[in-house]
Amino acid sequence: RNAFSFGKAGRGVERRKTLDALMKTTSQVVQCLDSVEYGLTDIQEYYANTGAMVRAMDDIQGGKGKVQASVVESYSRNPRPKKLNDALRLEYRSKLLNPKWADTMVAQGSGGAFEVSQRMTALVGWGATTKFQEKWVFDQSAETYALDEEMAAKLREANPEAFKNILGRLIEASNRGMWEADDGVLDQLQDLYQDMDDQIELGSVSAKRLSEITMAQRKKE
């Protein structure tokens, strides 16, 4: 879909050879944001397109991180390019890791839990495509949404599948080398993930009883 050009010479003309040539030499990808409604971490299109383009171009050029990305907020009064990583840091601080945002979103129930889950998927997506793999973001995400018992209980109750995805994405990030979790954290996440797997498969009542038995056994150990 990125191989089509639009201009005086034609609309939607396929120029695959031109794209291939550019991917071998271009060192900068620019993403334009035209609305405050959807940010870089809100929907998959940004990392699935821009992020994937950065990764593909960098791989073609040797995979040494030569290809970088910038973000331009076209809706601002004085739009200026920002480094992608700086834009991602700001967005994670203001949304996913902002206590007020987290509490408000989770209070919305199933839909809010789904939104949190989607942003955890985006976190892994950006890590895989542009190698945005900053430990503090993963650490605080785990502490906020998985290891905080009150928050975890709300997510588990509101949307079990979404909570399972949050746990699964954190575990995936660790397994893929994006995040070096502190001692014991990964074990806690894996235990929670197994509990959620049981809850979804067996039903909440049976899973709750199984979880109580499992926790009792772990305390004995």
Side-chain angles (χ1 to χ4, degrees):
R1 58 189 287 182
N2 292 309
F4 294 85
S5 67
F6 294 79
K8 293 182 179 179
R11 295 179 61 81
V13 179
E14 184 175 3
R15 302 185 187 279
R16 182 71 207 191
K17 291 183 179 179
T18 301
L19 176 62
D20 289 343
L22 289 171
M23 291 179 71
K24 294 176 182 178
T25 58
T26 302
S27 61
Q28 191 76 21
V29 176
V30 178
Q31 171 67 58
C32 179
L33 301 181
D34 56 10
S35 172
V36 296
E37 186 175 357
Y38 295 111
L40 295 169
T41 64
D42 293 333
I43 53 178
Q44 68 176 10
E45 279 71 17
Y46 289 126
Y47 69 83
N49 290 298
T50 302
M53 181 64 75
V54 170
R55 178 61 183 269
M57 292 170 65
D58 194 58
D59 286 347
I60 289 172
Q61 296 180 37
K64 298 181 179 180
K66 294 181 180 179
V67 180
Q68 300 297 313
S70 297
V71 177
V72 176
E73 297 170 338
S74 62
Y75 54 82
S76 63
R77 179 172 297 180
N78 297 306
R80 295 181 179 179
K82 297 179 181 178
K83 291 182 179 180
L84 174 65
N85 283 3
D86 290 341
L88 286 172
R89 291 186 193 104
L90 177 60
E91 193 158 317
Y92 282 122
R93 287 193 180 99
S94 62
K95 292 184 178 179
L96 189 69
L97 304 179
N98 180 342
K100 290 185 178 179
W101 185 94
D103 290 340
T104 301
M105 191 61 67
V106 174
Q108 295 179 22
S110 180
F114 173 78
E115 291 296 331
V116 174
S117 172
Q118 289 292 89
R119 284 161 178 77
M120 291 304 302
T121 298
L123 178 57
V124 174
W126 283 116
T129 56
T130 65
K131 300 181 181 179
F132 180 84
Q133 302 171 4
E134 300 195 1
K135 188 176 186 300
W136 66 273
V137 180
F138 288 100
D139 284 345
Q140 291 184 36
S141 295
E143 291 169 6
T144 300
Y145 298 104
L147 304 182
D148 182 285
E149 292 185 4
E150 183 177 352
M151 180 69 80
K154 291 179 180 178
L155 289 166
R156 181 196 296 261
E157 180 68 24
N159 191 328
E161 289 286 358
F163 185 51
K164 181 182 176 182
N165 184 66
I166 291 170
L167 300 169
R169 293 304 182 183
L170 288 167
I171 295 170
E172 178 185 353
S174 176
N175 290 342
R176 295 176 65 176
M178 299 178 193
W179 173 41
E180 187 176 347
D182 294 337
D183 293 342
V185 170
L186 187 59
D187 289 338
Q188 292 181 66
L189 293 174
Q190 290 172 333
D191 288 343
L192 286 168
Y193 185 88
Q194 185 59 58
D195 288 345
M196 286 310 304
D197 206 30
D198 293 337
Q199 176 177 328
I200 292 170
E201 183 175 351
L202 302 175
S204 59
V205 176
S206 298
K208 182 178 180 181
R209 179 54 183 155
L210 179 60
S211 178
E212 291 173 350
I213 294 172
T214 303
M215 289 299 294
Q217 290 176 337
R218 287 173 188 161
K219 289 180 179 180
K220 290 180 181 179
E221 295 174 358

